[in-house]
Amino acid sequence: MNQNTFCMAGGVARNPLVRLDKPVTATIGADEHIAIVGPNGGGKSLFVDTLIGKYPLREGTLQYDFSPSVTQTVYDNVKYIAFRDTYGAADANYYYQQRWNAHDQDETPDVREMLGEIKDEQLKNELFELFRIEPLLDKKIILLSSGELRKFQLAKTLLTAPRVLIMDNPFIGLDAPTRELLFTLLERLTKISSVQ
């Protein structure tokens, strides 16, 4: 029998403001790496938020199997990164137009500080090589390009060893060569790690 990481049958969110047009039935197998595509406002983010339990269901069922992970909670197994054309709420002190605000860099941390304590040295070494993080370590976070910021965010998230990584709009704001590089990095990541 094939393992399914996520299995939702007839899912309808309790909150009417975040319901999709139809009940959701979706299965994502443990060996699958998927992309959800569609137009802006098409419900992609709502679907993911419902799938990871952000919005409790009024109807239907939602089951998870994060094996071989010891814990089966979404919090412990799923990491979610939403990319925007800004640094996001978590980085509210940083500006998308960082070059215009370079005078603020004295107060901002560098990449090394933002990565924090790293417990798994082997994983760190693999990720640093994969994303070429070493040259960025002493760079102020405010001075990172969009591509460098994505690499940093991915490395920081992956150092927590998630079972599932969900990225919302990973290619937004990137030029064509950087999009291609990120696609290649993600493809390599699926081969060297067990992250889905």
Side-chain angles (χ1 to χ4, degrees):
M1 185 170 145
N2 292 339
Q3 175 188 337
N4 292 318
T5 306
F6 298 95
C7 187
M8 186 186 305
V12 176
R14 186 177 300 149
N15 183 340
L17 299 177
V18 295
R19 280 188 201 145
L20 295 167
D21 290 342
K22 299 176 185 171
V24 178
T25 297
T27 301
I28 301 173
D31 57 348
E32 290 183 293
H33 301 282
I34 68 165
I36 301 168
V37 297
N40 287 343
K44 300 178 301 292
S45 296
L46 282 177
F47 167 72
V48 169
D49 286 342
T50 305
L51 193 65
I52 63 174
K54 181 177 178 182
Y55 302 125
L57 296 182
R58 182 187 80 176
E59 297 173 19
T61 60
L62 177 56
Q63 297 174 324
Y64 307 103
D65 184 352
F66 297 117
S67 301
S69 180
V70 176
T71 173
Q72 290 295 307
T73 66
V74 173
Y75 177 81
D76 290 329
N77 288 285
V78 178
K79 297 302 175 199
Y80 181 75
I81 305 174
F83 296 102
R84 306 280 184 251
D85 263 342
T86 65
Y87 284 85
D91 300 317
N93 294 326
Y94 311 130
Y95 310 99
Y96 180 67
Q97 298 284 338
Q98 65 266 38
R99 288 177 199 88
W100 297 105
N101 298 288
H103 61 278
D104 290 345
Q105 67 178 302
D106 293 340
E107 301 168 13
T108 61
D110 58 31
V111 169
R112 188 184 312 273
E113 291 172 73
M114 293 291 288
L115 283 172
E117 184 184 348
I118 298 169
K119 295 178 181 165
D120 187 334
E121 279 298 312
Q122 181 179 348
L123 178 62
K124 179 202 90 161
N125 293 337
E126 288 175 4
L127 291 173
F128 277 29
E129 180 184 337
L130 179 65
F131 294 117
R132 295 186 182 104
I133 296 293
E134 198 74 39
L136 304 178
L137 288 176
D138 295 318
K139 199 170 183 180
K140 295 290 186 182
I141 207 92
I142 198 171
L143 297 177
L144 296 179
S145 69
S146 295
E148 289 171 336
L149 184 64
R150 279 181 185 53
K151 289 179 188 180
F152 160 74
Q153 288 177 308
L154 285 167
K156 181 177 167 85
T157 300
L158 291 168
L159 283 168
T160 67
R163 171 72 179 79
V164 177
L165 174 64
I166 298 174
M167 295 177 293
D168 193 351
N169 288 317
F171 299 104
I172 193 169
L174 299 180
D175 60 21
T178 309
R179 285 195 304 268
E180 188 61 36
L181 174 63
L182 181 56
F183 181 80
T184 303
L185 291 173
L186 293 173
E187 188 175 39
R188 262 189 74 200
L189 182 65
T190 64
K191 291 179 170 81
I192 68 166
S193 75
S194 59
V195 70
Q196 182 176 355

